[in-house]
Amino acid sequence: AALSMQGMDSFCWNAFADALEVIPYTLAENAGMKPIEVVTELRKQHAEGIQGAGINVKKGIVSDMYDLNVVQPLLVSTSAIQLATECVSMILKVDDLIVVA
């Protein structure tokens, strides 16, 4: 979506996507895996249309989570992302107030 946008909207969505990429990177790093290789493989599998691709920390590889019956309720993920986004928005608003003052 960000690739089809122009100007500040495109920049903001790209920055948001970059921030979300920290999640699998951190998971791989904490599992003792090589995070750059894992995230690269994860992106490759998603680009190939494997929507359920995820990090299998038990085997140390990227696997199809649907095949392994590993799922997470959508509400959990969306709530966490919404809370984090609201938190960053508040920090940016406070930062703007401090800079102006």
Side-chain angles (χ1 to χ4, degrees), residues 4-84:
S4 64
M5 295 180 181
Q6 303 221 348
M8 188 59 77
D9 287 341
S10 175
F11 178 76
C12 291
W13 281 108
N14 278 323
F16 190 78
D18 288 344
L20 290 178
E21 198 169 80
V22 169
I23 297 168
Y25 185 93
T26 304
L27 178 62
E29 191 174 43
N30 288 343
M33 301 166 72
K34 296 177 181 175
I36 294 173
E37 291 176 15
V38 170
V39 171
T40 302
E41 178 64 23
L42 191 59
R43 290 177 119 198
K44 177 181 158 258
Q45 288 193 23
H46 285 164
E48 291 172 351
I50 305 171
Q51 293 181 345
I55 301 172
N56 184 341
V57 295
K58 289 185 177 182
K59 292 186 177 179
I61 59 173
V62 175
S63 303
D64 190 338
M65 295 291 110
Y66 294 139
D67 290 344
L68 300 173
N69 292 321
V70 177
V71 293
Q72 178 173 309
L74 180 62
L75 185 58
V76 172
S77 298
T78 55
S79 294
I81 291 171
Q82 183 177 7
L83 181 61

